[in-house]
Amino acid sequence: MTVTVVHGTVGSPLGELLLVGEESATAPGGVALVSLSVPGQKGGAVVEDGWRCAPEAFGAVAEQLRAYFAGELTRFDVEFAGGGSDFQRRVWGALEGLEYGETVSYGEIATRIGMSPGAGVRAVGTAIGRNPLLVVRPCHRVIG
């Protein structure tokens, strides 16, 4: 089965955001989000040969981002395409469970996924740093 990767950009208060997705029959608009990053972001996506430029495919995501930045939306309803190791997905799942405006520490995330808050801090921090979904998956709510 061939997966078609599409990309587009959307403006935001953070600057231009690069959206990357995989075509999906079940996602709103037919695209499951793979990455949302600012160009030049460490670990962010870079458009590759063979990807199709299709900004219109991200209409639903772009509207949710607009509403979020306007203070009208507190939780995203976006289908994500896989990615990450089992451990990273556990950490990212804990991020997705954070309430709007809630902040937690790396140690608290470690505890939430069943790790020691001391020993797990570095691993949790690394997984959070590899979060491919800026803003949508609220890594910005985790503090040292």
Side-chain angles (χ1 to χ4, degrees):
M1 179 175 165
T2 303
V3 175
T4 300
V5 177
V6 295
H7 66 92
T9 58
V10 63
S12 82
L14 303 174
E16 184 176 72
L17 300 175
L18 173 63
L19 297 103
V20 178
E22 294 178 353
E23 289 187 337
S24 165
T26 61
V31 174
L33 196 61
V34 173
S35 174
L36 191 158
S37 60
V38 293
Q41 172 186 328
K42 181 180 177 185
V46 176
V47 176
E48 297 181 17
D49 290 339
W51 289 5
R52 184 169 57 84
C53 182
E56 69 283 355
F58 298 98
V61 176
E63 178 54 30
Q64 288 183 53
L65 286 164
R66 185 213 56 76
Y68 177 81
F69 287 122
E72 302 164 359
L73 181 76
T74 59
R75 186 163 297 279
F76 291 90
D77 181 20
V78 176
E79 181 181 333
F80 308 129
S85 67
D86 179 58
F87 176 74
Q88 287 170 330
R89 288 191 303 272
R90 285 178 31 225
V91 171
W92 298 341
L95 294 178
E96 292 164 10
L98 296 176
E99 293 298 322
Y100 180 77
E102 176 184 12
T103 57
V104 296
S105 67
Y106 293 103
E108 189 170 339
I109 293 292
T111 299
R112 288 184 185 192
I113 64 166
M115 297 182 72
S116 160
V121 168
R122 184 170 295 194
V124 165
T126 299
I128 290 171
R130 293 196 174 129
N131 170 24
L133 298 170
L134 181 72
V135 181
V136 173
R137 188 179 284 141
C139 55
H140 55 281
R141 296 191 189 139
V142 184
I143 56 176

